[in-house]
Amino acid sequence: MNPVIVVGSFNVDHVWRCNELPATGATIAGQYMTGPGGKGFNQAVASARAGTPTTFICALGDDAGGALARELAAADGIDLRAESSSEPTGTAGIYVDARGRNTIVIGAGANGVLGVAHVTADPALARAAGVLLAQLESPVDAIEAALAMAREAGTTTVLNPAPANAQASMGLLRLADVLTPNETEFAALLARQVGERVEPDAVAALDGARLHALCRKLLPHGTVVVTMGSVGVFVSHAEEQLRGDAQPYYRIGAESVAASDTTGAGDAFNGALAASLARAPEQAFATHVRYANRFAALSTERPGAAASMPRHDEVLARFPG
């Protein structure tokens, strides 16, 4: 089994649960909780709990948040490679309403100074890995360097282009073997990189052939996986690289669960997808997507981000076969 490398962010999440998301100028009542998060850490925890050895490369402050990251990484058996920073450990403020919808504000802190030298310090690690997974809550030059290192090593690269307002050049996208935007991120990338205007809410309703054509414009050489929440997932492959699938594009529906908090669901999907790809690269890509879908669905039944990630045996027990 080849390990997964996750390069990205760690945040201390501050979460308020309320009946409705706060409107401009409003003061409302809610229930408060705090815990670990950050897209990178969430995905690393998901990968580790999905049963694949995982290394997490990040930057942390010399503070209580950094100590928490080290403690929690050790508890999940994650190989933590943290660059020390004089900046505070990253934070996030999250509001979650009664329907599980959320809004998030990020304070980058140490995440904003993750360096190229740190993420490329161990090329042998990349050569041994099955998958390198990255997001865009860290400096783009560091993420690009990590993907380039993995590409040179022959390691499968997965880029989750989140958040939607992050800057991602076509050069960065070309380093991804698999690109995993949600509807909002997909629409933003199309507008910036392809000049196509599609409303995020309209993505799921697009005809399969049309959606496939847009994916091919965005990432001609690779696979695009558009995650669409309760609607499911759309997969688009390059014609010459079907990754074991029988067709170049298809949809996989969402699993039926009692969702209460969607915070971190996309991270759950990405971490589980990377873990499954690294664990059994010979299997059809649809098998990995279906597993990631199930893993992410279970995560929505629990509060929090990293803390909500299920474990591999729980997924198999809930969704046998």
mmCIF file of all heavy atoms in Angstrom, residues 185-211:
data_model
loop_
_atom_site.group_PDB
_atom_site.id
_atom_site.type_symbol
_atom_site.label_atom_id
_atom_site.label_comp_id
_atom_site.label_asym_id
_atom_site.label_seq_id
_atom_site.Cartn_x
_atom_site.Cartn_y
_atom_site.Cartn_z
ATOM 1 N N GLU A 185 -16.733 26.157 -7.177
ATOM 2 C CA GLU A 185 -15.348 26.199 -7.633
ATOM 3 C C GLU A 185 -15.241 25.919 -9.130
ATOM 4 O O GLU A 185 -14.449 26.546 -9.844
ATOM 5 C CB GLU A 185 -14.520 25.188 -6.825
ATOM 6 C CG GLU A 185 -14.419 25.567 -5.351
ATOM 7 C CD GLU A 185 -14.321 24.386 -4.410
ATOM 8 O OE1 GLU A 185 -14.232 23.214 -4.877
ATOM 9 O OE2 GLU A 185 -14.350 24.622 -3.185
ATOM 10 N N PHE A 186 -16.056 24.981 -9.600
ATOM 11 C CA PHE A 186 -16.070 24.647 -11.027
ATOM 12 C C PHE A 186 -16.491 25.855 -11.862
ATOM 13 O O PHE A 186 -15.848 26.202 -12.859
ATOM 14 C CB PHE A 186 -17.014 23.470 -11.265
ATOM 15 C CG PHE A 186 -17.078 22.993 -12.687
ATOM 16 C CD1 PHE A 186 -15.986 22.404 -13.295
ATOM 17 C CD2 PHE A 186 -18.256 23.119 -13.422
ATOM 18 C CE1 PHE A 186 -16.044 21.954 -14.609
ATOM 19 C CE2 PHE A 186 -18.330 22.670 -14.730
ATOM 20 C CZ PHE A 186 -17.226 22.087 -15.322
ATOM 21 N N ALA A 187 -17.566 26.523 -11.435
ATOM 22 C CA ALA A 187 -18.042 27.701 -12.159
ATOM 23 C C ALA A 187 -16.999 28.814 -12.153
ATOM 24 O O ALA A 187 -16.789 29.502 -13.163
ATOM 25 C CB ALA A 187 -19.352 28.189 -11.543
ATOM 26 N N ALA A 188 -16.323 29.005 -11.007
ATOM 27 C CA ALA A 188 -15.300 30.045 -10.909
ATOM 28 C C ALA A 188 -14.114 29.737 -11.825
ATOM 29 O O ALA A 188 -13.586 30.635 -12.494
ATOM 30 C CB ALA A 188 -14.826 30.177 -9.460
ATOM 31 N N LEU A 189 -13.689 28.486 -11.885
ATOM 32 C CA LEU A 189 -12.576 28.103 -12.754
ATOM 33 C C LEU A 189 -12.942 28.267 -14.227
ATOM 34 O O LEU A 189 -12.123 28.730 -15.037
ATOM 35 C CB LEU A 189 -12.170 26.655 -12.480
ATOM 36 C CG LEU A 189 -11.422 26.396 -11.177
ATOM 37 C CD1 LEU A 189 -11.254 24.904 -10.949
ATOM 38 C CD2 LEU A 189 -10.051 27.072 -11.187
ATOM 39 N N LEU A 190 -14.170 27.895 -14.584
ATOM 40 C CA LEU A 190 -14.609 28.059 -15.971
ATOM 41 C C LEU A 190 -14.563 29.527 -16.383
ATOM 42 O O LEU A 190 -14.112 29.864 -17.481
ATOM 43 C CB LEU A 190 -16.021 27.514 -16.151
ATOM 44 C CG LEU A 190 -16.190 26.000 -16.173
ATOM 45 C CD1 LEU A 190 -17.675 25.654 -16.261
ATOM 46 C CD2 LEU A 190 -15.435 25.367 -17.337
ATOM 47 N N ALA A 191 -15.049 30.401 -15.502
ATOM 48 C CA ALA A 191 -15.082 31.824 -15.816
ATOM 49 C C ALA A 191 -13.676 32.386 -15.976
ATOM 50 O O ALA A 191 -13.399 33.155 -16.910
ATOM 51 C CB ALA A 191 -15.839 32.575 -14.734
ATOM 52 N N ARG A 192 -12.769 31.993 -15.076
ATOM 53 C CA ARG A 192 -11.418 32.570 -15.086
ATOM 54 C C ARG A 192 -10.534 31.973 -16.165
ATOM 55 O O ARG A 192 -9.751 32.680 -16.805
ATOM 56 C CB ARG A 192 -10.751 32.386 -13.714
ATOM 57 C CG ARG A 192 -11.286 33.298 -12.632
ATOM 58 C CD ARG A 192 -10.323 33.362 -11.451
ATOM 59 N NE ARG A 192 -10.134 32.068 -10.821
ATOM 60 C CZ ARG A 192 -10.781 31.657 -9.738
ATOM 61 N NH1 ARG A 192 -11.691 32.432 -9.173
ATOM 62 N NH2 ARG A 192 -10.547 30.476 -9.210
ATOM 63 N N GLN A 193 -10.619 30.660 -16.347
ATOM 64 C CA GLN A 193 -9.652 29.968 -17.195
ATOM 65 C C GLN A 193 -10.148 29.663 -18.604
ATOM 66 O O GLN A 193 -9.340 29.510 -19.516
ATOM 67 C CB GLN A 193 -9.221 28.643 -16.524
ATOM 68 C CG GLN A 193 -8.729 28.786 -15.106
ATOM 69 C CD GLN A 193 -7.484 29.655 -14.979
ATOM 70 O OE1 GLN A 193 -6.786 29.897 -15.959
ATOM 71 N NE2 GLN A 193 -7.200 30.124 -13.776
ATOM 72 N N VAL A 194 -11.466 29.530 -18.753
ATOM 73 C CA VAL A 194 -12.015 29.115 -20.048
ATOM 74 C C VAL A 194 -12.861 30.208 -20.687
ATOM 75 O O VAL A 194 -13.087 30.203 -21.897
ATOM 76 C CB VAL A 194 -12.855 27.819 -19.871
ATOM 77 C CG1 VAL A 194 -13.398 27.324 -21.197
ATOM 78 C CG2 VAL A 194 -12.011 26.729 -19.211
ATOM 79 N N GLY A 195 -13.324 31.166 -19.884
ATOM 80 C CA GLY A 195 -14.186 32.221 -20.400
ATOM 81 C C GLY A 195 -15.625 31.785 -20.573
ATOM 82 O O GLY A 195 -16.403 32.445 -21.275
ATOM 83 N N GLU A 196 -16.013 30.667 -19.938
ATOM 84 C CA GLU A 196 -17.390 30.172 -19.993
ATOM 85 C C GLU A 196 -18.120 30.598 -18.722
ATOM 86 O O GLU A 196 -17.597 30.445 -17.615
ATOM 87 C CB GLU A 196 -17.411 28.648 -20.096
ATOM 88 C CG GLU A 196 -16.822 28.099 -21.373
ATOM 89 C CD GLU A 196 -17.857 27.963 -22.469
ATOM 90 O OE1 GLU A 196 -19.020 28.339 -22.246
ATOM 91 O OE2 GLU A 196 -17.491 27.461 -23.556
ATOM 92 N N ARG A 197 -19.348 31.101 -18.881
ATOM 93 C CA ARG A 197 -20.135 31.547 -17.739
ATOM 94 C C ARG A 197 -21.249 30.549 -17.454
ATOM 95 O O ARG A 197 -22.143 30.353 -18.279
ATOM 96 C CB ARG A 197 -20.740 32.932 -18.018
ATOM 97 C CG ARG A 197 -19.702 34.017 -18.258
ATOM 98 C CD ARG A 197 -19.018 34.437 -16.975
ATOM 99 N NE ARG A 197 -17.984 35.437 -17.218
ATOM 100 C CZ ARG A 197 -17.256 35.991 -16.265
ATOM 101 N NH1 ARG A 197 -17.460 35.647 -15.003
ATOM 102 N NH2 ARG A 197 -16.323 36.872 -16.555
ATOM 103 N N VAL A 198 -21.173 29.911 -16.283
ATOM 104 C CA VAL A 198 -22.208 28.985 -15.823
ATOM 105 C C VAL A 198 -22.499 29.311 -14.371
ATOM 106 O O VAL A 198 -21.567 29.423 -13.564
ATOM 107 C CB VAL A 198 -21.753 27.511 -15.948
ATOM 108 C CG1 VAL A 198 -22.843 26.576 -15.430
ATOM 109 C CG2 VAL A 198 -21.389 27.172 -17.383
ATOM 110 N N GLU A 199 -23.755 29.470 -14.026
ATOM 111 C CA GLU A 199 -24.109 29.718 -12.638
ATOM 112 C C GLU A 199 -23.887 28.453 -11.820
ATOM 113 O O GLU A 199 -24.246 27.356 -12.270
ATOM 114 C CB GLU A 199 -25.572 30.157 -12.522
ATOM 115 C CG GLU A 199 -25.848 31.546 -13.063
ATOM 116 C CD GLU A 199 -25.057 32.611 -12.313
ATOM 117 O OE1 GLU A 199 -24.963 32.521 -11.068
ATOM 118 O OE2 GLU A 199 -24.517 33.524 -12.977
ATOM 119 N N PRO A 200 -23.300 28.566 -10.616
ATOM 120 C CA PRO A 200 -23.069 27.374 -9.793
ATOM 121 C C PRO A 200 -24.319 26.520 -9.591
ATOM 122 O O PRO A 200 -24.249 25.285 -9.654
ATOM 123 C CB PRO A 200 -22.564 27.962 -8.474
ATOM 124 C CG PRO A 200 -21.918 29.253 -8.865
ATOM 125 C CD PRO A 200 -22.751 29.785 -9.989
ATOM 126 N N ASP A 201 -25.458 27.178 -9.373
ATOM 127 C CA ASP A 201 -26.698 26.440 -9.141
ATOM 128 C C ASP A 201 -27.177 25.687 -10.373
ATOM 129 O O ASP A 201 -28.046 24.814 -10.259
ATOM 130 C CB ASP A 201 -27.803 27.388 -8.669
ATOM 131 C CG ASP A 201 -27.553 27.942 -7.280
ATOM 132 O OD1 ASP A 201 -26.682 27.379 -6.569
ATOM 133 O OD2 ASP A 201 -28.207 28.920 -6.903
ATOM 134 N N ALA A 202 -26.628 26.030 -11.542
ATOM 135 C CA ALA A 202 -27.060 25.394 -12.790
ATOM 136 C C ALA A 202 -26.172 24.222 -13.196
ATOM 137 O O ALA A 202 -26.507 23.483 -14.127
ATOM 138 C CB ALA A 202 -27.090 26.421 -13.916
ATOM 139 N N VAL A 203 -25.046 24.043 -12.517
ATOM 140 C CA VAL A 203 -24.079 23.015 -12.922
ATOM 141 C C VAL A 203 -24.694 21.623 -12.901
ATOM 142 O O VAL A 203 -24.586 20.851 -13.858
ATOM 143 C CB VAL A 203 -22.824 23.065 -12.026
ATOM 144 C CG1 VAL A 203 -21.918 21.860 -12.298
ATOM 145 C CG2 VAL A 203 -22.051 24.354 -12.274
ATOM 146 N N ALA A 204 -25.362 21.272 -11.820
ATOM 147 C CA ALA A 204 -25.902 19.913 -11.669
ATOM 148 C C ALA A 204 -26.945 19.579 -12.726
ATOM 149 O O ALA A 204 -27.117 18.409 -13.089
ATOM 150 C CB ALA A 204 -26.492 19.746 -10.281
ATOM 151 N N ALA A 205 -27.647 20.604 -13.230
ATOM 152 C CA ALA A 205 -28.723 20.375 -14.194
ATOM 153 C C ALA A 205 -28.221 20.309 -15.638
ATOM 154 O O ALA A 205 -29.003 19.999 -16.548
ATOM 155 C CB ALA A 205 -29.772 21.476 -14.070
ATOM 156 N N LEU A 206 -26.951 20.576 -15.869
ATOM 157 C CA LEU A 206 -26.423 20.544 -17.231
ATOM 158 C C LEU A 206 -26.493 19.130 -17.807
ATOM 159 O O LEU A 206 -26.284 18.134 -17.101
ATOM 160 C CB LEU A 206 -24.976 21.029 -17.254
ATOM 161 C CG LEU A 206 -24.718 22.522 -17.032
ATOM 162 C CD1 LEU A 206 -23.229 22.796 -16.944
ATOM 163 C CD2 LEU A 206 -25.349 23.351 -18.148
ATOM 164 N N ASP A 207 -26.752 19.057 -19.091
ATOM 165 C CA ASP A 207 -26.704 17.785 -19.804
ATOM 166 C C ASP A 207 -25.295 17.179 -19.665
ATOM 167 O O ASP A 207 -24.293 17.900 -19.674
ATOM 168 C CB ASP A 207 -27.025 18.032 -21.276
ATOM 169 C CG ASP A 207 -26.815 16.797 -22.126
ATOM 170 O OD1 ASP A 207 -27.679 15.909 -22.101
ATOM 171 O OD2 ASP A 207 -25.761 16.728 -22.794
ATOM 172 N N GLY A 208 -25.235 15.857 -19.545
ATOM 173 C CA GLY A 208 -23.957 15.196 -19.327
ATOM 174 C C GLY A 208 -22.920 15.505 -20.384
ATOM 175 O O GLY A 208 -21.748 15.743 -20.065
ATOM 176 N N ALA A 209 -23.338 15.518 -21.642
ATOM 177 C CA ALA A 209 -22.391 15.798 -22.722
ATOM 178 C C ALA A 209 -21.856 17.225 -22.630
ATOM 179 O O ALA A 209 -20.670 17.471 -22.875
ATOM 180 C CB ALA A 209 -23.062 15.565 -24.077
ATOM 181 N N ARG A 210 -22.730 18.165 -22.269
ATOM 182 C CA ARG A 210 -22.311 19.561 -22.139
ATOM 183 C C ARG A 210 -21.342 19.718 -20.969
ATOM 184 O O ARG A 210 -20.313 20.397 -21.086
ATOM 185 C CB ARG A 210 -23.546 20.448 -21.929
ATOM 186 C CG ARG A 210 -23.256 21.902 -21.558
ATOM 187 C CD ARG A 210 -22.489 22.630 -22.626
ATOM 188 N NE ARG A 210 -22.366 24.055 -22.307
ATOM 189 C CZ ARG A 210 -21.404 24.832 -22.780
ATOM 190 N NH1 ARG A 210 -20.483 24.329 -23.588
ATOM 191 N NH2 ARG A 210 -21.358 26.110 -22.456
ATOM 192 N N LEU A 211 -21.656 19.098 -19.847
ATOM 193 C CA LEU A 211 -20.795 19.189 -18.667
ATOM 194 C C LEU A 211 -19.440 18.540 -18.948
ATOM 195 O O LEU A 211 -18.392 19.064 -18.555
ATOM 196 C CB LEU A 211 -21.489 18.522 -17.478
ATOM 197 C CG LEU A 211 -20.877 18.688 -16.091
ATOM 198 C CD1 LEU A 211 -20.507 20.124 -15.789
ATOM 199 C CD2 LEU A 211 -21.827 18.140 -15.028
#
